[in-house]
Amino acid sequence: QVQLVQSGVEVRKPGASVKVSCKASGYNFITSGISWVRQAPGQGLEWMGWIGLYNGHTDYAQKFQERVTMTTDTSTSTIYMELRSLRSDDTAVYYCASVKAGALSWFDPWGQGTLVTVSS
Amino acid sequence: QSVLTQPPSASGTPGQRVTISCSGSSSNIGSDYVYWYQHLPGSAPKLLIYSNNQRPSGVPDRFSGSKSGTSASLAISGLRSEDEAEYYCAAWDDSLSGVLFGGGTKLTVL
């Protein structure tokens, strides 16, 4: 059974960067990668991109192409999402989610979420 | 246009059947599977329906999904108070080369 545990609350000033972690356990060949999805206050879910667990291949949403980097540390089974040049509208809960092989919209399970607040 | 359109709200009384629609285009729903997620306040989203109409283990058969052309629907029968949540459809979009989520539908059980 795949389990995803994310890092804790982060507070940053505009222009700074944040790196959120997602530690995975119990995954097998069915899990091909990890996606990151965020939800800003009062808004819906927004896909940011995904990273392949076994080859490190990444696909980023066009909106975040210039500011996001997703990486994996295979030694600790931890996936990272770094977002740079933060703005106030990046304030959101950031989720990692397990992606099923061959189905990039299949997110199951999800991490518990990490609140990132961007404020001066 | 690469968007998935859902009604912002839906409601029903306990025991009723409600449906939530998700309208897309040939570049997303028309060419890929549709997924539905349930998001309860304070919790992580949960996969409710995959591959248009399949339920993961543990999801009650009160929940069902369907797809026709560039539209999809989620139906909830025998509505219960614990079904009160936000529901999102999702699909891969070929034009964007990314995953699209619908705007979400807030379901209220009256």
Side-chain angles (χ1 to χ4, degrees):
Chain A
Q1 188 80 346
V2 179
Q3 285 192 312
L4 303 175
V5 179
Q6 299 183 223
S7 49
V9 173
E10 301 276 10
V11 179
R12 295 287 186 275
K13 293 188 183 306
S17 299
V18 69
K19 195 170 187 177
V20 180
S21 69
C22 172
K23 185 170 175 60
S25 62
Y27 61 87
N28 53 30
F29 66 93
I30 294 176
T31 297
S32 66
I34 297 291
S35 266
W36 290 88
V37 176
R38 76 178 189 179
Q39 183 177 37
Q43 304 297 310
L45 301 176
E46 181 176 33
W47 181 76
M48 299 180 68
W50 85 293
I51 181 167
L53 280 180
Y54 303 105
N55 57 12
H57 174 80
T58 54
D59 272 322
Y60 301 139
Q62 293 172 4
K63 175 178 178 177
F64 300 102
Q65 282 277 0
E66 304 299 320
R67 299 196 295 137
V68 72
T69 301
M70 298 175 187
T71 55
T72 63
D73 181 342
T74 54
S75 67
T76 61
S77 299
T78 302
I79 303 86
Y80 298 94
M81 185 283 298
E82 182 180 33
L83 189 61
R84 301 176 293 278
S85 301
L86 290 168
R87 307 184 289 253
S88 58
D89 61 0
D90 290 317
T91 294
V93 176
Y94 290 76
Y95 295 99
C96 62
S98 174
V99 178
K100 185 178 183 292
L104 290 177
S105 304
W106 184 319
F107 306 134
D108 182 47
W110 297 59
Q112 83 274 22
T114 297
L115 174 62
V116 175
T117 300
V118 183
S119 173
S120 55
Chain B
Q1 190 173 0
S2 294
V3 295
L4 299 183
T5 302
Q6 298 181 233
S9 64
S11 64
T13 56
Q16 269 191 332
R17 182 178 188 270
V18 297
T19 60
I20 297 171
S21 61
C22 177
S23 177
S25 66
S26 58
S27 65
N28 40 67
I29 292 178
S31 57
D32 195 18
Y33 288 120
V34 177
Y35 299 77
W36 289 91
Y37 295 90
Q38 179 190 56
H39 194 187
L40 295 163
S43 301
K46 171 188 168 184
L47 178 66
L48 205 59
I49 296 289
Y50 66 92
S51 301
N52 301 333
N53 55 18
Q54 303 298 303
R55 284 185 309 277
S57 170
V59 173
D61 59 6
R62 302 186 296 106
F63 295 90
S64 62
S66 64
K67 171 185 149 177
S68 178
T70 58
S71 294
S73 290
L74 172 71
I76 309 171
S77 60
L79 202 59
R80 304 173 70 159
S81 58
E82 57 259 41
D83 298 333
E84 194 161 279
E86 195 92 19
Y87 292 85
Y88 294 90
C89 58
W92 178 265
D93 188 279
D94 287 332
S95 297
L96 295 176
S97 292
V99 177
L100 270 181
F101 282 98
T105 298
K106 182 173 173 56
L107 174 64
T108 301
V109 181
L110 302 169

